[in-house]
Amino acid sequence: MSNAMNEATILPFRVVSNYVCGICQQVEGASRYDKHPVRISVPVQRSVWKAEQAMEVADEHGRVIPAMVKPFLKWSDGSVRSYEVWLPLNLARKAEKSFTLRRATGVKPDVLPVASLDVPTRFNVSVLLQDGSRISQQVEFPLPEHTSDFWVDQAEQEFTIAQPDNQPAFYGAITRRLWSWYAGGDFAIRLINHLPGENTPVRAVRLELELPVKPTRHLIRQTCIMVDHPRLIESSNPLTVVADAGGVRVTDPAQLHENAADYPVYEVEGLTTVSNWIAAGDGEATWLLVMPEAAQRFPKAWRFEGSRVVIDLHPPDASPLDWQRGMALFQRFQLVKLPAGATAAECEDVGWSWLRKPIVKVDADQYRAGGWRIPFRFEPARFPRTEIQYRQTYGFSWRRGTFDWGDDSFDGLSARLASLQPDQRWRTVMRNNEYDFIASSAKEFARTGQQAVFEKCRQAAEHLMHTDFVAVSDDPWREGGVPAHCIMHTRGAAYPSHMWIEGLSLYYQLTGEPYALQVARRIGDFFLKYLDQRWEVLNGTAREGGWALIAITVIYDLTGNPRYLRGLEKLVDFYLTHSPTSFYPYDAVFTIGVALIGLDRARHFHRDNEVKNFMLNVIDWCIDHRRTPDGLFDYHFDSEVEGVYYVQSKLPDAINTCYLLSGDEKYLRVAWRQYQAAQHVPLTVQEWGRYESGYAAAAHLSWMGCLASFAAKGWLDTMQYSEPWRASAVK
């Protein structure tokens, strides 16, 4: 193998410390990550690496380090498409390290001692129903068994909670990750309501587990900002932490050895605010419980109760949970075993290492090699105005309701919804997955490496999987789908033009989260059901079939399952029976753009040349017959006003694709005119304030390919901020 080939197949990545300097210069984040488990997905080029090829990880000095490397995804030819890498990270705050994934050299890395892994194996999940009866189920994991000294154990235990008459009521799963070198585990619980009816009032949901500890001391961080605060607290008394509308806090200032009478009234409320970690210890060990994202669906509560850890996914003293059928309660948590004499500062350090996990950076070109569609390169120095404007589309704030997991009664949202007219209700809940925001944010993270974008991607993906995906329903045209606009979570109507898979597929590639792939498959099957049984809906507009093509092609590309191939072939064959003049001639032009994007995705698997010619003919007809005198496309044809150019989103990408297929610059000039208009009017369907998740996704889908083509032509340079010295040179 040549040196050039060796260099091309050496896969670099970086891991960066994750911290923030907050109010009054408080630094939040681990002072040091100590053997912290880090997972990396490394995408690779087709036909380069064979699955049986042994791989290793080297540090910046070329030394082989302990790591687990295995093929994660494969290309259709059997070559590796993505590797999964796990490694123990030692990293100081404000530092970063570079690593290389490469062909194994045979050098053995240092052996890490096996950590003490007496983590819990038995859990009890219970639901307190509205009538006061409690139903529960015990879930038990086997102890990990491994022959090697360095391993990662990833397991999931599914379970059912039955009613007294043995009818299933709730289906769930607990996932667990353990590492040979780390004295702790990463856990998550998912619990789905399967009871009949639209929703079930529930008084409480609880997860309990036993730890080998008899606490004599309890540790936490009080986070309020005032004199001598924040501060670390050690107490002999148990602590109960809640997450609700007041934030993350203890239930009584006395738990923190505070007397409310010693403070002015305006400071009393903040006295109870605490961190998301809590610890309990005895003479044998200290156990740390970390509850990330606890406030994303609240109220919640957690505490050590003797040797038990109690996590109230919905506390019994809160208002009843109006739990929609098919919706999941979901919570991650970590348990870490520390030495018996661990201080509060040491507990905080480990807690922060989970709350602000290290940031993994993989070069965007590696994602492109792995099949990711991110054409526009991140060059902010060259294109500052474009990048700044584009970044603003991801600058929205999640509003109340964005991560409302079903218990919206705490702030009267249900009552407000009931008082509104049906066409107004959905606007009060701003969580909207329009145009697949998950996909756009995953690609933007891959393109720029900005961790904040990944966090939005993760939150949106989890919201879709657990809150809006209809896991079970009596309605066969709702079960397995996602209601349009995520308006009323699992209670809305689900249909092809408002469901997306690509984002979940990319999230799965980034994280390895198996439930993301499971949900993506089920949504793919939902599309196929429409293809087989509700063809008239798919033929209603060009976007119905277009989004279906994109989704089915994505899931086929990821899984290789032939049933998805048959689905995309059926749609492509149907589209190709049309002439350009009969291809939805009076449909909204943006829906034709969706259809052409879908055809471009599918052509790599079916009738490539015919699809290319068809796309060019369709876009030629639209250019000749659907443009207004100023060069914009109408939204839909209206003979009275001769065109309504309200929405252009997605169409520019289809036009640019035709430019790339043909090499004819006329298409790119047409796309450029749309881009000129987009500098003044956001091109999106819903105008919910300038920046909203649907707009971010529409901008990504509409302009990524165009921007790359404009930049290659030098046209994009004219849109940037002018530089004074260049203006002087002109004079």
Side-chain angles (χ1 to χ4, degrees):
M1 185 179 292
S2 68
N3 289 335
M5 189 59 164
N6 271 317
E7 291 175 3
T9 54
I10 289 176
L11 308 170
F13 59 89
R14 291 183 296 141
V15 184
V16 181
S17 175
N18 188 357
Y19 65 97
V20 62
C21 295
I23 298 174
C24 302
Q25 301 303 308
Q26 294 295 324
V27 180
E28 297 181 339
S31 64
R32 180 173 180 79
Y33 297 93
D34 185 15
K35 297 180 184 176
H36 189 80
V38 175
R39 182 192 181 281
I40 303 100
S41 285
V42 184
V44 296
Q45 189 175 344
R46 182 192 295 267
S47 304
V48 173
W49 295 107
K50 295 182 178 180
E52 60 270 21
Q53 171 63 53
M55 304 292 286
E56 67 186 18
V57 176
D59 64 14
E60 60 266 41
H61 304 294
R63 296 183 297 238
V64 180
I65 65 169
M68 189 201 79
V69 183
K70 65 177 183 180
F72 175 52
L73 293 172
K74 294 181 181 178
W75 291 101
S76 57
D77 64 0
S79 61
V80 178
R81 183 170 184 169
S82 181
Y83 283 103
E84 179 181 58
V85 178
W86 279 99
L87 57 83
L89 181 73
N90 294 309
L91 187 68
R93 182 187 291 160
K94 301 183 181 180
E96 65 177 78
K97 286 188 176 180
S98 297
F99 299 93
T100 300
L101 176 62
R102 67 189 188 189
R103 185 186 300 273
T105 60
V107 176
K108 298 296 183 182
D110 295 335
V111 177
L112 292 179
V114 176
S116 177
L117 288 167
D118 48 356
V119 293
T121 59
R122 185 177 299 171
F123 302 81
N124 190 72
V125 186
S126 62
V127 179
L128 182 63
L129 301 175
Q130 184 68 7
D131 63 6
S133 62
R134 184 180 291 273
I135 54 178
S136 63
Q137 179 63 45
Q138 196 167 90
V139 183
E140 191 161 355
F141 283 87
L143 291 172
E145 296 182 3
H146 296 275
T147 56
S148 64
D149 293 331
F150 189 88
W151 49 261
V152 178
D153 183 90
Q154 303 183 76
E156 178 176 281
Q157 292 292 331
E158 296 182 337
F159 62 91
T160 302
I161 301 179
Q163 301 180 80
D165 61 0
N166 289 324
Q167 293 298 311
F170 301 92
Y171 287 73
I174 296 177
T175 60
R176 180 190 73 179
R177 280 175 173 167
L178 303 176
W179 306 270
S180 60
W181 67 86
Y182 191 80
D186 183 25
F187 303 85
I189 180 171
R190 178 178 71 250
L191 190 63
I192 301 172
N193 176 19
H194 276 238
L195 287 168
E198 286 289 324
N199 61 282
T200 303
V202 168
R203 288 168 60 179
V205 185
R206 177 171 291 180
L207 173 67
E208 299 173 277
L209 55 123
E210 293 282 338
L211 289 176
V213 62
K214 297 179 179 179
T216 57
R217 62 195 189 106
H218 298 265
L219 306 98
I220 203 167
R221 182 177 190 256
Q222 187 180 13
T223 61
C224 58
I225 303 294
M226 56 182 69
V227 177
D228 298 325
H229 293 76
R231 65 189 182 116
L232 295 166
I233 293 175
E234 181 171 336
S235 173
S236 59
N237 299 319
L239 302 164
T240 296
V241 184
V242 298
D244 58 18
V248 178
R249 57 191 181 85
V250 296
T251 53
D252 185 348
Q255 293 185 51
L256 304 175
H257 310 295
E258 296 279 17
N259 183 355
D262 295 337
Y263 295 87
V265 65
Y266 51 80
E267 291 185 345
V268 171
E269 184 177 359
L271 282 177
T272 57
T273 59
V274 294
S275 60
N276 280 34
W277 63 267
I278 185 173
D282 58 13
E284 300 294 327
T286 301
W287 282 92
L288 175 72
L289 170 66
V290 185
M291 292 286 290
E293 301 96 35
Q296 282 192 13
R297 189 214 60 82
F298 57 79
K300 289 196 186 83
W302 56 94
R303 62 190 178 277
F304 283 91
E305 211 173 69
S307 61
R308 283 191 308 160
V309 173
V310 178
I311 300 175
D312 283 319
L313 298 169
H314 190 82
D317 56 352
S319 299
L321 168 64
D322 186 21
W323 195 345
Q324 296 180 29
R325 191 180 194 202
M327 180 185 290
L329 293 183
F330 173 78
Q331 180 63 48
R332 268 190 301 270
F333 61 96
Q334 291 85 35
L335 284 163
V336 185
K337 183 181 180 182
L338 300 173
T343 65
E346 291 169 333
C347 291
E348 180 182 40
D349 216 43
V350 177
W352 272 123
S353 69
W354 285 102
L355 293 170
R356 296 191 70 92
K357 292 188 288 188
I359 300 170
V360 174
K361 293 183 178 289
V362 176
D363 190 85
D365 280 343
Q366 286 180 230
Y367 288 106
R368 292 185 181 94
W372 287 50
R373 303 173 69 91
I374 42 176
F376 185 52
R377 298 185 182 278
F378 185 55
E379 298 182 73
R382 182 181 175 190
F383 305 117
R385 184 170 183 267
T386 297
E387 292 291 356
I388 290 170
Q389 286 188 335
Y390 197 78
R391 192 181 312 148
Q392 283 183 296
T393 66
Y394 290 84
F396 55 88
S397 297
W398 300 115
R399 305 186 185 190
R400 176 65 61 83
T402 298
F403 302 114
D404 162 31
W405 301 73
D407 53 347
D408 52 21
S409 59
F410 68 87
D411 69 346
L413 181 57
S414 294
R416 292 205 305 276
L417 290 175
S419 68
L420 296 172
Q421 296 297 318
D423 63 339
Q424 296 175 317
R425 291 178 186 174
W426 65 280
R427 292 185 180 276
T428 66
V429 180
M430 297 295 286
R431 170 63 271 174
N432 180 39
N433 194 38
E434 188 78 17
Y435 316 129
D436 201 348
F437 172 71
I438 304 167
S440 71
S441 54
K443 294 176 187 178
E444 185 65 0
F445 166 68
R447 189 178 79 92
T448 66
Q450 294 179 355
Q451 184 70 10
V453 175
F454 172 75
E455 289 303 313
K456 291 182 184 293
C457 172
R458 179 183 57 76
Q459 292 162 355
E462 290 183 348
H463 184 88
L464 177 67
M465 290 187 286
H466 305 303
T467 306
D468 295 320
F469 171 67
V470 186
V472 60
S473 175
D474 290 331
D475 183 350
W477 298 107
R478 186 185 292 175
E479 180 172 319
V482 181
H485 298 291
C486 313
I487 299 167
M488 296 295 290
H489 303 318
T490 60
R491 285 197 284 240
Y495 45 91
S497 62
H498 284 76
M499 291 187 299
W500 295 271
I501 292 177
E502 185 177 18
L504 287 180
S505 77
L506 298 178
Y507 181 74
Y508 172 69
Q509 293 179 58
L510 285 172
T511 65
E513 169 54 57
Y515 192 60
L517 180 59
Q518 181 180 331
V519 172
R521 285 177 180 270
R522 289 194 64 187
I523 298 174
D525 293 341
F526 192 85
F527 278 106
L528 294 182
K529 188 164 64 172
Y530 262 88
L531 269 169
D532 293 336
Q533 302 176 40
R534 282 195 168 185
W535 179 257
E536 67 279 1
V537 175
L538 281 173
N539 192 28
T541 76
R543 73 173 177 177
E544 303 290 335
W547 283 121
L549 261 183
I550 295 170
I552 295 170
T553 301
V554 163
I555 198 67
Y556 171 67
D557 183 43
L558 192 65
T559 66
N561 192 307
R563 71 175 182 269
Y564 301 120
L565 177 61
R566 289 193 293 270
L568 73 88
E569 288 174 344
K570 181 176 180 179
L571 264 172
V572 169
D573 291 344
F574 171 72
Y575 275 176
L576 293 186
T577 63
H578 292 75
S579 67
T581 58
S582 67
F583 190 71
Y584 306 94
Y586 301 116
D587 203 351
V589 286
F590 86 88
T591 73
I592 295 173
V594 175
L596 295 181
I597 293 170
L599 283 168
D600 182 57
R601 301 288 186 91
R603 68 179 176 82
H604 301 281
F605 304 104
H606 186 56
R607 302 179 69 175
D608 185 11
N609 289 328
E610 294 166 272
V611 170
K612 290 178 184 177
N613 292 330
F614 179 76
M615 292 174 62
L616 293 174
N617 290 332
V618 168
I619 207 67
D620 283 342
W621 190 88
C622 290
I623 290 173
D624 292 339
H625 296 90
R626 296 297 302 273
R627 281 198 299 171
T628 60
D630 52 5
L632 302 180
F633 288 85
D634 55 28
Y635 173 55
H636 60 269
F637 184 79
D638 185 330
S639 60
E640 183 173 336
V641 298
E642 296 183 355
V644 179
Y645 54 89
Y646 175 46
V647 177
Q648 315 270 338
S649 61
K650 296 167 288 299
L651 187 63
D653 185 70
I655 298 170
N656 177 67
T657 300
C658 290
Y659 160 69
L660 296 175
L661 292 177
S662 66
D664 191 337
E665 193 179 282
K666 75 172 184 180
Y667 299 111
L668 196 59
R669 292 197 298 271
V670 170
W672 179 258
R673 175 52 60 90
Q674 317 313 307
Y675 188 61
Q676 288 177 312
Q679 304 306 300
H680 307 286
V681 179
L683 302 184
T684 183
V685 175
Q686 287 82 27
E687 180 50 72
W688 293 339
R690 181 167 173 80
Y691 298 115
E692 183 270 334
S693 57
Y695 179 52
H700 199 286
L701 185 65
S702 299
W703 299 117
M704 277 292 103
C706 288
L707 293 175
S709 296
F710 297 159
K713 286 281 188 178
W715 298 355
L716 203 57
D717 297 83
T718 64
M719 304 291 286
Q720 305 313 302
Y721 299 114
S722 61
E723 297 170 326
W725 55 89
R726 290 186 177 174
S728 300
V730 171
K731 292 181 180 179

